[in-house]
Amino acid sequence: MNILTKPLIDFIIKSNKNRNVEFLNLIKEYYLQEPKLASEWISYCDPNVIRKSGMRLPQIHVNVKDVFQANYSVNVNDHIGWNIFLRGYFDPVPSIFVKMIHLVGERGVYIDGGANIGSTTIPVALAGIECLAVEASNSTCSELLKNFSLNPSIKATAVNAALCAPFQLEKKYSEIYRSEGNFAAGSLVENWNVSGPDQFREFTINTTLDHLINVYNIEKIICLKLDIEGYEYFALEGFQKGLTSQRPPVIFEWRPDHLMKSIGRVDDLRSLFPEGYQFFLIEYSRMEGVGQFGIHLRETDFSQPVENIVALHSSFPHKNLLKQLQTSYVCL
């Protein structure tokens, strides 16, 4: 039974005002020991929740290792950094999927659109897969590069640019709108993420995926991930040559709710995929006792927000793996 009341929630949030690494380590220790008991209140220690109260938190960077043995310097007062610090991972789905298809024989370059601080890129790269990480924010890209340096064995390239459609290249630069507490929700759409303290802006150069494929001479894409806060449609418009010629798996976030609120329409990006693509929701579970993640594919409803959809072409060669993923959770 949830016993949290608004005064108690307010107290939990306010107790974070002067939090330091010692305080956060105590929270983490208790959470790891009693995750079920802590589950009722731990979300109110998340900077993404705290920012909505109007409270600003100073950046605090600590070095951590995630469940995939990737090293990071994370800002524990930002949503992604906090989750890696607390749980040892943020969103494991893209890296699990890419490593899984690599294990069954797929080869190529992984393109991480919206790489943030590297929480997907680095685990994939540690598996021996070459990566191209595209991050629009200048300040976040500098953190991404720092995290690359903490994992010197990886083969990964960072590109500081915004993925867009060809017609948007007429405007050389774009503005990114970001809010403290959840830098990953920064968007080229001005009112995409308006809760919490006032937004601030950064400028970034525009590019297309087709241009990057040409510049970096990428002959085979093992998978493309797009998590770019409402700009997935435009990024796919700038990927029509590569999408048609290579037909790679594409993982993307789908937020029709935010699209309708922010720009007043929902463009169906399924129309940008060549014939033969199917779309699946990727679910994941942390398998108790074995410490592994399992993923599962099922039909998706495009009327609802979905964190991870994968588009797979009918030419995807690993039919047995696909069948397994549709019938049960498959562990990595």
Side-chain angles (χ1 to χ4, degrees), residues 83-110:
N83 277 277
I84 295 174
F85 169 81
L86 180 69
R87 297 181 173 88
Y89 64 93
F90 179 60
D91 175 11
V93 165
S95 56
I96 292 171
F97 181 82
V98 175
K99 290 193 287 184
M100 193 171 286
I101 62 175
H102 178 74
L103 284 172
V104 295
E106 282 297 283
R107 294 295 180 266
V109 177
Y110 169 60

Side-chain angles (χ1 to χ4, degrees), residues 202-239:
E202 291 182 356
F203 286 91
T204 188
I205 195 167
N206 292 328
T207 191
T208 67
L209 280 164
D210 281 333
H211 176 70
L212 293 179
I213 291 167
N214 182 55
V215 168
Y216 289 96
N217 194 27
I218 298 174
E219 297 181 358
K220 178 70 181 297
I221 301 168
I222 189 173
C223 187
L224 164 67
K225 186 211 83 178
L226 290 174
D227 185 359
I228 50 177
E229 309 302 315
Y231 245 63
E232 289 81 4
Y233 186 93
F234 298 111
L236 285 172
E237 282 192 310
F239 184 48

Side-chain angles (χ1 to χ4, degrees), residues 112-115 133-138 141 158-166 168-169 171-177 186-189 202-212 226-228 231-232 234-236 238:
D112 191 353
V134 187
E135 172 53 47
S137 164
N138 308 313
C141 194
V159 176
N160 184 194
L163 297 174
C164 67
Q168 293 169 315
L169 293 175
K171 184 181 177 183
K172 190 173 182 181
Y173 298 97
S174 287
E175 288 180 287
I176 308 170
Y177 301 87
S187 177
L188 300 177
V189 180
E202 291 182 356
F203 286 91
T204 188
I205 195 167
N206 292 328
T207 191
T208 67
L209 280 164
D210 281 333
H211 176 70
L212 293 179
L226 290 174
D227 185 359
I228 50 177
Y231 245 63
E232 289 81 4
F234 298 111
L236 285 172

Side-chain angles (χ1 to χ4, degrees), residues 226-282:
L226 290 174
D227 185 359
I228 50 177
E229 309 302 315
Y231 245 63
E232 289 81 4
Y233 186 93
F234 298 111
L236 285 172
E237 282 192 310
F239 184 48
Q240 290 302 289
K241 291 180 181 178
L243 194 58
T244 302
S245 63
Q246 299 201 35
R247 296 172 181 170
V250 180
I251 299 174
F252 58 92
E253 183 184 46
W254 177 243
R255 295 303 305 262
D257 52 340
H258 279 354
L259 286 167
M260 186 56 69
K261 288 179 182 178
S262 60
I263 64 176
R265 70 178 191 275
V266 178
D267 295 315
D268 190 347
L269 48 69
R270 288 174 292 182
S271 64
L272 298 175
F273 285 86
E275 186 177 351
Y277 267 96
Q278 291 180 285
F279 302 87
F280 303 94
L281 165 66
I282 313 180

